[in-house]
């Protein structure tokens, strides 16, 4: 079939005989004939009156049968097709109406967009936040981290069944073993269950905080966001250059609010003792074991440590 616009334009400029010929062409189309056979209650007059609806229905059904993908969808409303219904009844003559229905690909995209909207990220590679992965697919990348993947999956299932957990996870391992990926996977899977999440790349986040000194409202909104989200991930904590203000008044305030309320997650190359040594040192004040210990008291009791082993995946 040619396009609806061309057909209508041609039909409008021809005589009655040609118009009828065009109409018969639509009514005899295999797709339209199948629909008509399924709805014998609709009169010939009603079918003729709604021939443009029938034309659009057939055209889009054929396009969907050879779907080129959502990005190249040729239908009038991308990701949707025309559905025909019979109206009338109770003494009213049956008629034909139509409406647009999202296709499977559009429904999947809408679902993914809804999930993704529940997760905010700051300075983090978002690949793992924009695609659904199966556990088998994740494990197959490196069997050495199968134990870590299993622990993350168990955490996801517990949260789905019982709600937010009192403790988060501390994903510890060498460079490039997939700690950030696993944390992002956890956020994505739980966003599917309606939980909100934020993941921040800690070194860049700490640097960006310095620029917020002159923007107190932005600073307040950022801190409130990290306090209130259901799931918070500090990615690569221990790699940042800390000052006392960031440690005590930003990280300390966020973690103090969240403990016993909402779980916080971490990825790090340090073990917990190494992280404590890192948090005890700031660029200007030097070492302060008390303040480092004070912050760790808001981390150590509220995490389950998971060792993430395996090969360096970066660049593979």
């Amino acid at each position: 079939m040619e396009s609806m616009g061309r057909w209508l334009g041609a039909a409008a400029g021809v005589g009655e005989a040609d118009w009828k010929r065009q109409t018969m062409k639509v009514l005899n189309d295999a797709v339209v004939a199948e629909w008509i056979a399924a709805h014998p209650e609709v009169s010939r007059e009603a079918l003729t009156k709604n021939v443009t609806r029938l034309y659009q229905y057939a055209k889009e059904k054929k396009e969907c049968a050879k779907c080129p993908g959502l990005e190249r969808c040729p239908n009038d409303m991308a990701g949707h097709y025309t559905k025909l219904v019979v109206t009338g009844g109770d003494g009213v003559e049956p008629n034909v109406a139509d409406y647009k229905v999202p296709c499977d690909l559009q429904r999947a995209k809408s679902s993914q967009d809804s999930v993704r909207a529940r997760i905010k990220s700051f300075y983090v590679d978002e690949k793992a936040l924009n695609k659904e992965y199966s556990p088998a697919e994740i494990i197959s990348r490196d069997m050495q981290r199968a134990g870590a993947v299993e622990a993350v999956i168990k955490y996801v299932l517990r949260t789905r069944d019982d709600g937010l957990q009192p403790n988060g996870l501390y994903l510890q391992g060498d460079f490039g073993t997939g700690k950030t990926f696993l944390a992002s996977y956890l956020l994505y899977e739980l966003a599917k269950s309606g939980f909100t999440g934020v993941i921040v790349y800690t070194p860049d986040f700490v640097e960006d905080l310095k620029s917020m000194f002159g923007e107190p409202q932005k600073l307040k909104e950022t801190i409130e966001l990290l306090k209130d989200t259901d799931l918070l991930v500090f990615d690569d904590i221990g790699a940042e250059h800390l000052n006392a203000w960031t440690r005590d008044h930003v990280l300390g305030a966020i973690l103090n609010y969240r403990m016993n309320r909402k779980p916080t997650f971490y990825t790090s190359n340090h073990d917990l003792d190494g992280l404590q040594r890192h948090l005890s040192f700031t660029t200007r004040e030097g070492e302060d074991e008390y303040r480092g210990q004070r912050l760790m008291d808001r981390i150590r009791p509220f995490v389950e440590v998971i060792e993430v082993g395996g090969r360096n995946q970066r660049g593979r």
Side-chain angles (χ1 to χ4, degrees):
M1 280 189 174
E2 67 269 39
S3 73
M4 185 178 183
R6 285 183 56 191
W7 181 71
L8 286 174
V14 298
E16 184 178 350
D18 287 327
W19 172 265
K20 288 182 178 179
R21 195 158 37 247
Q22 293 278 27
T23 299
M24 288 303 298
K25 183 179 178 181
V26 173
L27 296 180
N28 290 328
D29 180 86
V31 172
V32 174
E34 181 181 16
W35 187 89
I36 292 173
H39 300 89
E41 70 275 21
V42 182
S43 68
R44 192 73 171 184
E45 181 183 0
L47 293 171
T48 302
K49 187 171 64 175
N50 289 283
V51 69
T52 56
R53 287 190 171 93
L54 297 168
Y55 173 92
Q56 190 71 10
Y57 165 76
K59 176 177 177 293
E60 293 187 354
K61 192 174 180 66
K62 292 173 184 177
E63 296 286 9
C64 288
K66 53 181 182 181
C67 175
L70 205 53
E71 294 77 12
R72 293 183 293 145
C73 178
N75 291 350
D76 286 358
M77 182 184 293
H80 295 72
Y81 61 90
T82 296
K83 185 175 179 64
L84 297 180
V85 294
V86 177
T87 63
D90 293 331
V92 178
E93 187 73 18
N95 203 353
V96 180
D98 62 357
Y99 60 95
K100 296 294 184 182
V101 177
C103 67
D104 289 344
L105 291 179
Q106 180 62 42
R107 281 195 293 270
K109 181 181 183 302
S110 297
S111 176
Q112 186 178 41
D113 289 347
S114 177
V115 169
R116 184 61 183 83
R118 298 189 188 105
I119 308 171
K120 298 186 183 300
S121 64
F122 295 90
Y123 328 104
V124 174
D125 184 347
E126 298 188 355
K127 289 179 184 176
L129 296 172
N130 294 322
K131 179 182 174 182
E132 186 167 1
Y133 293 87
S134 70
E137 183 179 0
I138 299 172
I139 293 174
S140 67
R141 295 186 175 196
D142 190 343
M143 290 300 295
Q144 294 181 59
R145 66 179 183 185
V149 175
E150 182 180 1
V152 169
I153 292 170
K154 285 181 177 178
Y155 187 95
V156 168
L157 295 177
R158 284 200 307 271
T159 303
R160 284 179 178 170
D161 291 342
D162 305 327
L164 287 178
Q165 301 295 294
N167 292 350
L169 303 178
Y170 188 90
L171 303 177
Q172 171 195 326
D174 292 335
F175 294 99
T177 53
K179 301 182 296 295
T180 303
F181 179 87
L182 287 177
S184 299
Y185 168 79
L186 180 146
L187 291 185
Y188 188 93
E189 288 299 307
L190 289 177
K192 286 159 55 178
S193 298
F195 296 102
T196 60
V198 174
I199 180 169
V200 298
Y201 180 61
T202 313
D204 285 351
F205 173 65
V206 167
E207 288 301 309
D208 202 35
L209 284 172
K210 298 173 185 177
S211 68
M212 295 187 198
F213 273 124
E215 301 178 80
Q217 186 60 33
K218 180 180 178 181
L219 177 61
K220 179 181 178 183
E221 290 173 357
T222 301
I223 292 175
E224 291 302 314
L225 172 65
L226 271 57
K227 283 182 176 180
D228 292 335
T229 188
D230 293 333
L231 311 156
L232 172 62
V233 178
F234 282 114
D235 182 43
D236 208 8
I237 192 169
E240 69 283 349
H241 297 291
L242 277 177
N243 58 48
W245 175 80
T246 300
R247 179 189 61 195
D248 302 333
H249 298 289
V250 179
L251 293 179
I254 293 168
L255 298 182
N256 189 64
Y257 178 86
R258 293 184 63 84
M259 64 180 186
N260 295 317
R261 284 191 179 94
K262 296 180 178 181
T264 305
F265 306 80
Y266 309 84
T267 77
S268 183
N269 299 323
H270 296 287
D271 60 18
L272 289 176
D273 290 337
L275 181 63
Q276 181 169 331
R277 288 192 294 272
H278 169 79
L279 295 177
S280 298
F281 185 89
T282 58
T283 51
R284 180 173 297 180
E285 288 77 8
E287 192 169 9
D288 188 333
E289 292 184 6
Y290 169 75
R291 292 187 182 278
Q293 175 67 54
R294 191 167 183 269
L295 190 58
M296 282 303 297
D297 287 344
R298 288 154 177 74
I299 297 176
R300 193 186 295 266
F302 301 100
V303 292
E304 172 190 348
V305 177
I306 296 175
E307 293 279 353
V308 183
R311 304 183 303 272
N312 188 331
Q313 299 288 325
R314 291 174 186 167
R316 293 178 66 89

